[in-house]
Amino acid sequence: DTEVTQTPKHLVMGMTNKKSLKCEQHMGHRAMYWYKQKAKKPPELMFVYSYEKLSINESVPSRFSPECPNSSLLNLHLHALQPEDSALYLCASSRTSSLEKRYNEQFFGPGTRLTVL
Amino acid sequence: AQTVTQSQPEMSVQEAETVTLSCTYDTSENNYYLFWYKQPPSRQMILVIRQEAYKQQNATENRFSVNFQKAAKSFSLKISDSQLGDTAMYFCAFVGGATNKLIFGTGTLLAVQP
């Protein structure tokens, strides 16, 4: 199983709502990533979890709150978002978060299309 | 700091023809990997091909091959016998240093015309 799943596929929320995005993988990977992607732009890294601990936060506003309850699951909690936060949110996973001598590919999920009204 | 540059925002190719997408990068690292990712309109990002910097031989995956010029820091993707399903955004990406953090180029939107 080389699949990363994400739910929901689409999400529309108001600026006062609280919602969560979910990502799951069963490849035994110990690194998981959240990316934000605007239309026709490359993904921008937001967070990296390594062995269920937050290892990288790319200066993301606190209205985005990541959580890694276990090695297979990654959540992104959303609160008081702005319309400019509307984007495709991608999750990815890899064996580890370190550059290894052997290949350490990141596998991407299909994404959640978020619209903030 | 590492950078990845894709100078072709959009390209078009006829079905069954060959097309080459360009990518250059800048790094001071000796140990790194380069990738081409494909993101079709359905949005799932998938890995097309990868190249280890220490390998001189160019990587090949079926109709996809790369021209890796380490000294010139160039990493182009050649798609042979283009198919309609190759229509997608293609991102060149770099990983190097201590972490597995991907550095993406700005992407090339490829349209395969029937």
Side-chain angles (χ1 to χ4, degrees):
Chain A
D1 184 6
T2 58
E3 191 178 20
V4 176
T5 59
Q6 290 187 243
T7 54
K9 288 186 178 181
H10 301 275
L11 179 62
V12 179
M13 60 186 290
M15 289 190 283
T16 58
N17 292 155
K18 287 185 180 181
K19 296 286 185 184
S20 297
L21 310 184
K22 179 180 172 182
C23 173
E24 202 160 2
Q25 56 87 16
H26 296 286
M27 295 178 275
H29 288 172
R30 303 314 298 269
M32 296 186 78
Y33 310 77
W34 279 117
Y35 290 86
K36 174 183 177 180
Q37 187 180 25
K38 291 282 199 178
K40 296 190 177 181
K41 298 291 186 183
E44 299 172 18
L45 183 65
M46 300 173 72
F47 303 104
V48 181
Y49 271 83
S50 177
Y51 291 86
E52 294 106 70
K53 287 186 169 31
L54 183 65
S55 61
I56 295 177
N57 176 344
E58 293 284 344
S59 303
V60 178
S62 60
R63 57 186 184 269
F64 295 91
S65 175
E67 178 195 21
C68 191
N70 59 60
S71 61
S72 300
L73 189 57
L74 184 67
N75 298 319
L76 185 63
H77 303 297
L78 314 172
H79 173 55
L81 294 193
Q82 304 297 310
E84 59 265 28
D85 296 322
S86 298
L88 181 68
Y89 287 84
L90 295 170
C91 174
S93 71
S94 65
R95 202 167 39 245
T96 72
S97 63
S98 303
L99 188 67
E100 301 176 343
K101 287 185 179 179
R102 61 179 179 149
Y103 184 53
N104 193 11
E105 175 188 351
Q106 285 190 32
F107 292 82
F108 284 83
T112 294
R113 174 72 63 191
L114 174 67
T115 303
V116 182
L117 301 176
Chain B
Q2 292 93 354
T3 59
V4 177
T5 301
Q6 294 179 249
S7 58
Q8 305 152 314
E10 295 186 19
M11 292 193 73
S12 181
V13 64
Q14 293 295 125
E15 201 174 2
E17 298 293 308
T18 295
V19 64
T20 298
L21 308 184
S22 300
C23 173
T24 58
Y25 62 96
D26 192 22
T27 183
S28 57
E29 300 288 346
N30 290 318
N31 183 30
Y32 57 89
Y33 296 85
L34 294 161
F35 309 93
W36 279 98
Y37 279 91
K38 169 186 177 181
Q39 190 175 35
S42 62
R43 76 190 180 213
Q44 179 102 36
M45 183 91 75
I46 58 173
L47 181 69
V48 174
I49 198 164
R50 68 179 185 269
Q51 175 79 42
E52 293 90 338
Y54 63 86
K55 287 188 177 179
Q56 293 187 350
Q57 186 173 6
N58 288 324
T60 299
E61 288 287 342
N62 301 313
R63 298 183 294 108
F64 299 87
S65 61
V66 299
N67 184 1
F68 174 48
Q69 302 290 325
K70 190 172 184 179
K73 295 181 179 170
S74 170
F75 181 62
S76 61
L77 174 70
K78 185 171 84 171
I79 306 174
S80 304
D81 186 26
S82 297
Q83 300 175 0
L84 296 177
D86 296 333
T87 292
M89 181 72 91
Y90 287 82
F91 291 103
C92 178
F94 168 99
V95 158
T99 72
N100 199 34
K101 181 177 173 180
L102 278 168
I103 308 296
F104 286 96
T106 51
T108 296
L109 184 59
L110 176 67
V112 179
Q113 307 291 343

